[in-house]
PDB file of all heavy atoms in Angstrom:
ATOM      1  N   GLN S 721     114.123  82.685 114.587  1.00 97.00           N
ATOM      2  CA  GLN S 721     113.206  82.152 113.583  1.00 97.00           C
ATOM      3  C   GLN S 721     113.055  83.258 112.543  1.00 97.00           C
ATOM      4  O   GLN S 721     112.276  84.179 112.706  1.00 97.00           O
ATOM      5  CB  GLN S 721     111.869  81.790 114.207  1.00 97.00           C
ATOM      6  CG  GLN S 721     111.969  80.648 115.198  1.00 97.00           C
ATOM      7  CD  GLN S 721     110.615  80.296 115.799  1.00 97.00           C
ATOM      8  OE1 GLN S 721     110.300  80.652 116.918  1.00 97.00           O
ATOM      9  NE2 GLN S 721     109.826  79.573 115.006  1.00 97.00           N
ATOM     10  N   ALA S 722     113.841  83.150 111.508  1.00 96.00           N
ATOM     11  CA  ALA S 722     113.947  84.240 110.536  1.00 96.00           C
ATOM     12  C   ALA S 722     112.677  84.404 109.703  1.00 96.00           C
ATOM     13  O   ALA S 722     112.386  85.488 109.201  1.00 96.00           O
ATOM     14  CB  ALA S 722     115.143  84.027 109.624  1.00 96.00           C
ATOM     15  N   GLN S 723     111.915  83.350 109.555  1.00 97.00           N
ATOM     16  CA  GLN S 723     110.688  83.397 108.745  1.00 97.00           C
ATOM     17  C   GLN S 723     109.556  83.930 109.620  1.00 97.00           C
ATOM     18  O   GLN S 723     109.106  83.259 110.528  1.00 97.00           O
ATOM     19  CB  GLN S 723     110.323  82.007 108.221  1.00 97.00           C
ATOM     20  CG  GLN S 723     111.415  81.341 107.413  1.00 97.00           C
ATOM     21  CD  GLN S 723     111.317  79.811 107.523  1.00 97.00           C
ATOM     22  OE1 GLN S 723     111.264  79.263 108.617  1.00 97.00           O
ATOM     23  NE2 GLN S 723     111.299  79.127 106.391  1.00 97.00           N
ATOM     24  N   THR S 724     109.105  85.122 109.306  1.00 95.00           N
ATOM     25  CA  THR S 724     108.025  85.708 110.088  1.00 95.00           C
ATOM     26  C   THR S 724     106.694  85.070 109.708  1.00 95.00           C
ATOM     27  O   THR S 724     105.879  84.742 110.575  1.00 95.00           O
ATOM     28  CB  THR S 724     107.962  87.220 109.846  1.00 95.00           C
ATOM     29  OG1 THR S 724     109.241  87.778 110.147  1.00 95.00           O
ATOM     30  CG2 THR S 724     106.894  87.864 110.699  1.00 95.00           C
ATOM     31  N   GLU S 725     106.476  84.915 108.419  1.00 97.00           N
ATOM     32  CA  GLU S 725     105.217  84.355 107.939  1.00 97.00           C
ATOM     33  C   GLU S 725     105.466  83.562 106.660  1.00 97.00           C
ATOM     34  O   GLU S 725     106.244  83.982 105.807  1.00 97.00           O
ATOM     35  CB  GLU S 725     104.211  85.479 107.679  1.00 97.00           C
ATOM     36  CG  GLU S 725     102.826  84.990 107.303  1.00 97.00           C
ATOM     37  CD  GLU S 725     101.780  86.098 107.347  1.00 97.00           C
ATOM     38  OE1 GLU S 725     101.765  86.884 108.299  1.00 97.00           O
ATOM     39  OE2 GLU S 725     100.969  86.162 106.389  1.00 97.00           O
ATOM     40  N   ILE S 726     104.813  82.422 106.574  1.00 97.00           N
ATOM     41  CA  ILE S 726     104.904  81.573 105.373  1.00 97.00           C
ATOM     42  C   ILE S 726     103.496  81.212 104.940  1.00 97.00           C
ATOM     43  O   ILE S 726     102.660  80.850 105.785  1.00 97.00           O
ATOM     44  CB  ILE S 726     105.681  80.272 105.661  1.00 97.00           C
ATOM     45  CG1 ILE S 726     107.099  80.558 106.161  1.00 97.00           C
ATOM     46  CG2 ILE S 726     105.724  79.394 104.422  1.00 97.00           C
ATOM     47  CD1 ILE S 726     107.853  79.310 106.584  1.00 97.00           C
ATOM     48  N   THR S 735     108.948  73.851 105.419  1.00 98.00           N
ATOM     49  CA  THR S 735     109.962  73.740 106.477  1.00 98.00           C
ATOM     50  C   THR S 735     110.084  75.050 107.218  1.00 98.00           C
ATOM     51  O   THR S 735     110.242  76.114 106.604  1.00 98.00           O
ATOM     52  CB  THR S 735     111.328  73.344 105.883  1.00 98.00           C
ATOM     53  OG1 THR S 735     111.225  72.037 105.311  1.00 98.00           O
ATOM     54  CG2 THR S 735     112.398  73.323 106.969  1.00 98.00           C
ATOM     55  N   LEU S 736     110.012  74.944 108.525  1.00 98.00           N
ATOM     56  CA  LEU S 736     110.169  76.100 109.401  1.00 98.00           C
ATOM     57  C   LEU S 736     111.565  76.047 110.012  1.00 98.00           C
ATOM     58  O   LEU S 736     111.953  75.016 110.577  1.00 98.00           O
ATOM     59  CB  LEU S 736     109.109  76.081 110.513  1.00 98.00           C
ATOM     60  CG  LEU S 736     107.656  75.890 110.051  1.00 98.00           C
ATOM     61  CD1 LEU S 736     106.723  75.941 111.254  1.00 98.00           C
ATOM     62  CD2 LEU S 736     107.265  76.917 109.015  1.00 98.00           C
ATOM     63  N   ASP S 737     112.279  77.139 109.894  1.00 98.00           N
ATOM     64  CA  ASP S 737     113.675  77.159 110.331  1.00 98.00           C
ATOM     65  C   ASP S 737     113.817  77.652 111.761  1.00 98.00           C
ATOM     66  O   ASP S 737     113.082  78.538 112.207  1.00 98.00           O
ATOM     67  CB  ASP S 737     114.503  78.063 109.411  1.00 98.00           C
ATOM     68  CG  ASP S 737     114.518  77.567 107.971  1.00 98.00           C
ATOM     69  OD1 ASP S 737     114.381  76.345 107.760  1.00 98.00           O
ATOM     70  OD2 ASP S 737     114.662  78.407 107.061  1.00 98.00           O
ATOM     71  N   TRP S 751     109.700  72.569 120.133  1.00 97.00           N
ATOM     72  CA  TRP S 751     108.782  73.236 119.216  1.00 97.00           C
ATOM     73  C   TRP S 751     107.394  73.227 119.844  1.00 97.00           C
ATOM     74  O   TRP S 751     106.968  72.203 120.406  1.00 97.00           O
ATOM     75  CB  TRP S 751     108.722  72.544 117.858  1.00 97.00           C
ATOM     76  CG  TRP S 751     109.803  72.952 116.911  1.00 97.00           C
ATOM     77  CD1 TRP S 751     110.997  72.316 116.702  1.00 97.00           C
ATOM     78  CD2 TRP S 751     109.799  74.083 116.035  1.00 97.00           C
ATOM     79  NE1 TRP S 751     111.727  72.981 115.752  1.00 97.00           N
ATOM     80  CE2 TRP S 751     111.020  74.068 115.318  1.00 97.00           C
ATOM     81  CE3 TRP S 751     108.879  75.104 115.775  1.00 97.00           C
ATOM     82  CZ2 TRP S 751     111.346  75.032 114.365  1.00 97.00           C
ATOM     83  CZ3 TRP S 751     109.199  76.059 114.829  1.00 97.00           C
ATOM     84  CH2 TRP S 751     110.425  76.025 114.130  1.00 97.00           C
ATOM     85  N   ALA S 803      98.891  78.058 111.979  1.00 97.00           N
ATOM     86  CA  ALA S 803      99.163  78.410 113.372  1.00 97.00           C
ATOM     87  C   ALA S 803     100.463  79.193 113.405  1.00 97.00           C
ATOM     88  O   ALA S 803     101.130  79.377 112.383  1.00 97.00           O
ATOM     89  CB  ALA S 803      99.293  77.159 114.238  1.00 97.00           C
ATOM     90  N   VAL S 804     100.815  79.640 114.600  1.00 97.00           N
ATOM     91  CA  VAL S 804     102.150  80.205 114.820  1.00 97.00           C
ATOM     92  C   VAL S 804     102.978  79.123 115.502  1.00 97.00           C
ATOM     93  O   VAL S 804     102.522  78.505 116.471  1.00 97.00           O
ATOM     94  CB  VAL S 804     102.104  81.469 115.692  1.00 97.00           C
ATOM     95  CG1 VAL S 804     103.508  82.034 115.869  1.00 97.00           C
ATOM     96  CG2 VAL S 804     101.177  82.510 115.070  1.00 97.00           C
ATOM     97  N   TYR S 805     104.168  78.905 115.000  1.00 98.00           N
ATOM     98  CA  TYR S 805     105.043  77.867 115.524  1.00 98.00           C
ATOM     99  C   TYR S 805     106.255  78.517 116.195  1.00 98.00           C
ATOM    100  O   TYR S 805     106.915  79.371 115.606  1.00 98.00           O
ATOM    101  CB  TYR S 805     105.486  76.924 114.415  1.00 98.00           C
ATOM    102  CG  TYR S 805     104.349  76.073 113.891  1.00 98.00           C
ATOM    103  CD1 TYR S 805     103.506  76.556 112.890  1.00 98.00           C
ATOM    104  CD2 TYR S 805     104.096  74.812 114.415  1.00 98.00           C
ATOM    105  CE1 TYR S 805     102.441  75.791 112.415  1.00 98.00           C
ATOM    106  CE2 TYR S 805     103.049  74.038 113.948  1.00 98.00           C
ATOM    107  CZ  TYR S 805     102.223  74.537 112.949  1.00 98.00           C
ATOM    108  OH  TYR S 805     101.172  73.782 112.499  1.00 98.00           O
ATOM    109  N   PHE S 806     106.518  78.074 117.417  1.00 97.00           N
ATOM    110  CA  PHE S 806     107.627  78.622 118.195  1.00 97.00           C
ATOM    111  C   PHE S 806     108.681  77.562 118.451  1.00 97.00           C
ATOM    112  O   PHE S 806     108.367  76.429 118.828  1.00 97.00           O
ATOM    113  CB  PHE S 806     107.130  79.137 119.556  1.00 97.00           C
ATOM    114  CG  PHE S 806     106.270  80.347 119.472  1.00 97.00           C
ATOM    115  CD1 PHE S 806     104.895  80.235 119.398  1.00 97.00           C
ATOM    116  CD2 PHE S 806     106.831  81.622 119.487  1.00 97.00           C
ATOM    117  CE1 PHE S 806     104.084  81.358 119.318  1.00 97.00           C
ATOM    118  CE2 PHE S 806     106.035  82.750 119.407  1.00 97.00           C
ATOM    119  CZ  PHE S 806     104.667  82.615 119.316  1.00 97.00           C
ATOM    120  N   CYS S 807     109.911  77.958 118.266  1.00 97.00           N
ATOM    121  CA  CYS S 807     111.062  77.148 118.644  1.00 97.00           C
ATOM    122  C   CYS S 807     111.582  77.720 119.967  1.00 97.00           C
ATOM    123  O   CYS S 807     111.507  78.942 120.195  1.00 97.00           O
ATOM    124  CB  CYS S 807     112.121  77.261 117.552  1.00 97.00           C
ATOM    125  SG  CYS S 807     113.617  76.310 117.811  1.00 97.00           S
ATOM    126  N   GLY S 821     111.866  81.737 120.380  1.00 95.00           N
ATOM    127  CA  GLY S 821     111.997  82.546 119.180  1.00 95.00           C
ATOM    128  C   GLY S 821     110.764  83.422 119.025  1.00 95.00           C
ATOM    129  O   GLY S 821     109.818  83.344 119.814  1.00 95.00           O
ATOM    130  N   THR S 822     110.770  84.244 117.993  1.00 95.00           N
ATOM    131  CA  THR S 822     109.647  85.154 117.768  1.00 95.00           C
ATOM    132  C   THR S 822     108.495  84.488 117.042  1.00 95.00           C
ATOM    133  O   THR S 822     107.449  85.097 116.864  1.00 95.00           O
ATOM    134  CB  THR S 822     110.102  86.378 116.966  1.00 95.00           C
ATOM    135  OG1 THR S 822     110.824  85.930 115.816  1.00 95.00           O
ATOM    136  CG2 THR S 822     111.004  87.273 117.804  1.00 95.00           C
ATOM    137  N   GLY S 823     108.676  83.251 116.622  1.00 95.00           N
ATOM    138  CA  GLY S 823     107.585  82.515 116.007  1.00 95.00           C
ATOM    139  C   GLY S 823     107.511  82.691 114.497  1.00 95.00           C
ATOM    140  O   GLY S 823     107.943  83.705 113.944  1.00 95.00           O
ATOM    141  N   THR S 824     106.970  81.687 113.840  1.00 97.00           N
ATOM    142  CA  THR S 824     106.691  81.727 112.401  1.00 97.00           C
ATOM    143  C   THR S 824     105.211  81.464 112.211  1.00 97.00           C
ATOM    144  O   THR S 824     104.702  80.433 112.659  1.00 97.00           O
ATOM    145  CB  THR S 824     107.508  80.672 111.627  1.00 97.00           C
ATOM    146  OG1 THR S 824     108.894  80.944 111.761  1.00 97.00           O
ATOM    147  CG2 THR S 824     107.113  80.667 110.148  1.00 97.00           C
ATOM    148  N   ARG S 825     104.532  82.402 111.569  1.00 97.00           N
ATOM    149  CA  ARG S 825     103.107  82.207 111.285  1.00 97.00           C
ATOM    150  C   ARG S 825     102.969  81.436 109.982  1.00 97.00           C
ATOM    151  O   ARG S 825     103.448  81.889 108.934  1.00 97.00           O
ATOM    152  CB  ARG S 825     102.391  83.551 111.186  1.00 97.00           C
ATOM    153  CG  ARG S 825     100.888  83.399 110.902  1.00 97.00           C
ATOM    154  CD  ARG S 825     100.182  84.739 110.880  1.00 97.00           C
ATOM    155  NE  ARG S 825     100.273  85.422 112.158  1.00 97.00           N
ATOM    156  CZ  ARG S 825      99.479  85.192 113.193  1.00 97.00           C
ATOM    157  NH1 ARG S 825      98.506  84.294 113.077  1.00 97.00           N
ATOM    158  NH2 ARG S 825      99.633  85.860 114.316  1.00 97.00           N
ATOM    159  N   LEU S 826     102.347  80.296 110.051  1.00 98.00           N
ATOM    160  CA  LEU S 826     102.120  79.461 108.867  1.00 98.00           C
ATOM    161  C   LEU S 826     100.658  79.560 108.453  1.00 98.00           C
ATOM    162  O   LEU S 826      99.762  79.323 109.260  1.00 98.00           O
ATOM    163  CB  LEU S 826     102.470  78.003 109.164  1.00 98.00           C
ATOM    164  CG  LEU S 826     102.151  77.002 108.051  1.00 98.00           C
ATOM    165  CD1 LEU S 826     102.981  77.288 106.806  1.00 98.00           C
ATOM    166  CD2 LEU S 826     102.362  75.570 108.523  1.00 98.00           C
TER     167      LEU S 826
END
Side-chain angles (χ1 to χ4, degrees):
Chain S
Q721 294 181 258
Q723 303 152 308
T724 304
E725 186 168 316
I726 301 174
T735 296
L736 309 182
D737 298 332
W751 276 95
V804 181
Y805 291 86
F806 291 93
C807 181
T822 50
T824 297
R825 181 177 298 277
L826 174 64

